[in-house]
Amino acid sequence: MNDAKVLLDYGSGGRASHRLIGELLLSHFRSPELARLNDAAVLDLRGPVAVSTDSFTVDPIFFPGGDIGSLAVHGTVNDVAMLGARPLYLTCALILEEGLPMADLERIVASLGQAADAAGVAVVTGDTKVMPRGQADKIFINTTGIGQIMVETPPSGDRARPGDAILVSGSMGDHGLTILSQREGLAFDAPVESDSACLSHLILKLLEALPDIHVLRDPTRGGLATTLNEIAGQSRAGCLIEESSLPVKQAVKAGCSFLGLDPLYLANEGKFICILPEAQADAALSILRADPLGKDAARIGTVTAENPGKVVMRTPLGGHRMLSMLEGEQLPRIC
């Protein structure tokens, strides 16, 4: 692209739009279906499918551990995988602000394309709009993911049962604290980095070995505490978690202590909650810990018949603390 910045013309549907698609987008989204440039994509799907859509407005658009492009793939692909599905296809809509540096746009599009390739999904259709300067903030992205469900009974938020084990695939709060520190220009003694990652391959490994997983959920906005509250409400069961078992990196603990934040309410973009029968907990942990993305996996609690719809945390001293759902917006534009 010859222009140094995004122009309104790129959203016109005319020659400038065609240059943007041909010279930038198609060079990074290597999909035969997209290259046909039809109004819609033709997909070959059989059997039940999972579909999820998400919009990404994260600020800043570049951060340690990722950027808005890779995040737009990981967030949607992970949501599809949580239904026990193999993600196959992705749609992508870009809303650009006039004046966005073209170098930033190309960096984001390249990152999005690389993340899609790594996740094994094809970007099959999309859209681009350009807003006048000041009427948007640099770039927003919407992605929709489609995947083939791989198990007879998909995991679901209403399937947690008393006696089930509650696992997490790794440390909590990394993404949320990273975004906050970058936005506010804060530096900690130990650097923090977003955990943004595609989890579908790890989910499929688990489901191939243990197809009777009851619940899979990624604790993004609202963090672990809010997501467990959602599951407890859907399943009409209680969640009892052990504070001493929660994996939180020392750097995140220190940053949260300094800022007065609770890591249990911070967003994660590369971790998930797994709830399954007690007898399968050890096998699930072995599978998770054998993968780099699950090396810090831990069992953090148990589903109970007591306190239906509520989440209770037992402290190391034996006390109990009720964890409620996040009220309001702790940190806007986190993803």
Side-chain angles (χ1 to χ4, degrees), residues 25-81:
L25 302 182
L26 290 183
S27 67
H28 292 289
F29 300 162
R30 289 173 284 278
S31 162
E33 188 59 35
L34 182 67
R36 292 188 179 95
L37 296 179
N38 288 325
D39 285 348
V42 177
L43 307 180
D44 184 11
L45 291 166
R46 294 177 179 81
V49 298
V51 181
S52 183
T53 191
D54 206 344
S55 298
F56 298 85
T57 64
V58 66
D59 177 35
I61 56 176
F62 302 107
F63 47 84
D67 55 64
I68 192 172
S70 58
L71 187 64
V73 175
H74 297 156
T76 296
V77 164
N78 290 345
D79 284 347
V80 170

Side-chain angles (χ1 to χ4, degrees), residues 105-247:
L105 177 59
E106 178 149 20
R107 180 179 167 188
I108 289 166
V109 169
S111 176
L112 199 158
Q114 290 164 7
D117 288 347
V121 295
V123 179
V124 291
T125 189
D127 184 48
T128 304
K129 296 289 191 303
V130 181
M131 299 293 290
R133 195 186 305 268
Q135 295 187 18
D137 188 7
K138 296 183 279 293
I139 178 171
F140 301 147
I141 303 176
N142 173 271
T143 51
T144 297
I146 301 168
Q148 193 84 52
I149 290 181
M150 304 302 291
V151 289
E152 187 173 338
T153 306
S156 175
D158 62 359
R159 292 189 59 211
R161 296 291 178 264
D164 283 355
I166 305 173
L167 316 181
V168 292
S169 65
S171 58
M172 295 289 106
D174 301 19
H175 179 76
L177 190 66
T178 299
I179 297 302
L180 176 62
S181 63
Q182 292 295 304
R183 191 181 300 169
E184 301 301 328
L186 302 174
F188 303 115
D189 290 340
V192 291
E193 182 173 284
S194 170
D195 59 349
S196 177
C198 172
L199 297 167
S200 57
H201 74 283
L202 186 51
I203 296 291
L204 290 173
K205 278 186 195 175
L206 267 181
L207 289 170
E208 286 171 4
L210 305 166
D212 190 27
I213 291 175
H214 291 170
V215 182
L216 292 170
R217 190 70 70 82
D218 53 344
T220 52
R221 285 178 298 174
L224 177 67
T226 297
T227 307
L228 285 177
N229 269 281
E230 292 171 352
I231 295 169
Q234 287 177 265
S235 297
R236 299 180 181 179
C239 291
L240 175 63
I241 64 173
E242 305 289 342
E243 185 175 12
S244 58
S245 300
L246 293 168

